[in-house]
Amino acid sequence: MSDIDRLLQQLPTDAIAAQLGEDPASVDAAARAALPALFGGLQANAANPAGEASLLEALQQHDPSLVEGGIDLNAVDTRDGEAITHHIFGPNEDEVVNRLGAAGGGGAGSALVKKLLPILAPIVLSYLMGKLQQGGGGASFPGSAGGGQGGREGGVLPGTNPPADTGAGPAAGPTGGGLGDILGSILGGAAGGAPTQQQGGMPSTGSILTDLLGGLLGGGRR
């Protein structure tokens, strides 16, 4: 089972559907598109050394316990999620939402994706932090100004939008294999093998990563 499939199984889909006023099947279909899009956007940012440093700083503010032993929807900070989503996709955020939404049913699909991304984004960062801790042993994170939760109020990924890619390639991460490799492993389980089953008209994970993120974000561009 891929990491994305495992995370999908952990989502409290019924509770999310009730909160958003949507049916669970639509929420599940949208999540199957939105989760790989979020991880793929993080990977594109992490391909730039400045983007990777910013992401590592943001990860310190997300407790992996959020996704351990069942996700408590009441513990998900959607304001935090809005900031994460904005910083991941930058000026392409509306285009990402529209393309994901169009695959799920035009304008109504876009509205659902837009409501869902701020819920999923903190979950994604908490899950990624857990993966980093599991594989990291002696992970070394950059110091964050003010420490603790100090950087959250003004934006979750401070310093995102790094300079354009210089062609030097991804920076080495703080752990064996690095953050980029961890994200690649998460995405590889979905994009590298058989595509995830299409549900509710949503495209497969591999299609989203290739057609959407590859065209809009590009490794290291942000």
Side-chain angles (χ1 to χ4, degrees):
M1 180 185 296
S2 72
D3 285 281
I4 289 176
D5 287 335
R6 189 173 296 109
L7 190 52
L8 281 165
Q9 286 191 350
Q10 293 178 256
L11 288 179
T13 304
D14 290 343
I16 293 172
Q19 178 174 303
L20 299 182
E22 302 281 351
D23 67 276
S26 296
V27 170
D28 180 72
R32 289 178 182 276
L35 280 175
L38 286 166
F39 280 114
L42 289 171
Q43 186 183 44
N45 279 273
N48 181 288
E52 182 181 42
S54 173
L55 176 54
L56 287 169
E57 184 175 340
L59 285 172
Q60 296 177 84
Q61 301 169 15
H62 292 84
D63 191 338
S65 65
L66 177 65
V67 296
E68 295 170 354
I71 298 170
D72 179 6
L73 190 57
N74 293 323
V76 176
D77 184 350
T78 55
R79 182 181 176 186
D80 181 36
E82 289 173 357
I84 296 169
T85 302
H86 173 71
H87 283 294
I88 289 176
F89 299 121
N92 296 308
E93 181 178 353
D94 287 342
E95 182 68 13
V96 170
V97 168
N98 288 337
R99 292 202 193 181
L100 291 173
S110 298
L112 173 55
V113 170
K114 190 172 184 65
K115 291 188 291 184
L116 187 59
L117 284 172
I119 296 173
L120 296 181
I123 294 171
V124 163
L125 284 198
S126 295
Y127 185 83
L128 181 57
M129 182 61 174
K131 293 287 288 186
L132 195 63
Q133 289 181 345
Q134 290 170 16
S140 175
F141 292 93
S144 57
Q149 300 289 326
R152 288 184 62 173
E153 191 65 27
V156 179
L157 297 181
T160 308
N161 300 321
D165 187 14
T166 61
T175 68
L179 180 58
D181 285 343
I182 292 174
L183 284 162
S185 175
I186 291 172
L187 290 165
T196 55
Q197 182 178 359
Q198 296 188 18
Q199 297 192 18
M202 300 299 286
S204 69
T205 297
S207 174
I208 291 168
L209 294 176
T210 301
D211 299 336
L212 172 62
L213 295 176
L216 286 180
L217 300 179
R221 203 176 79 183
R222 282 176 37 77

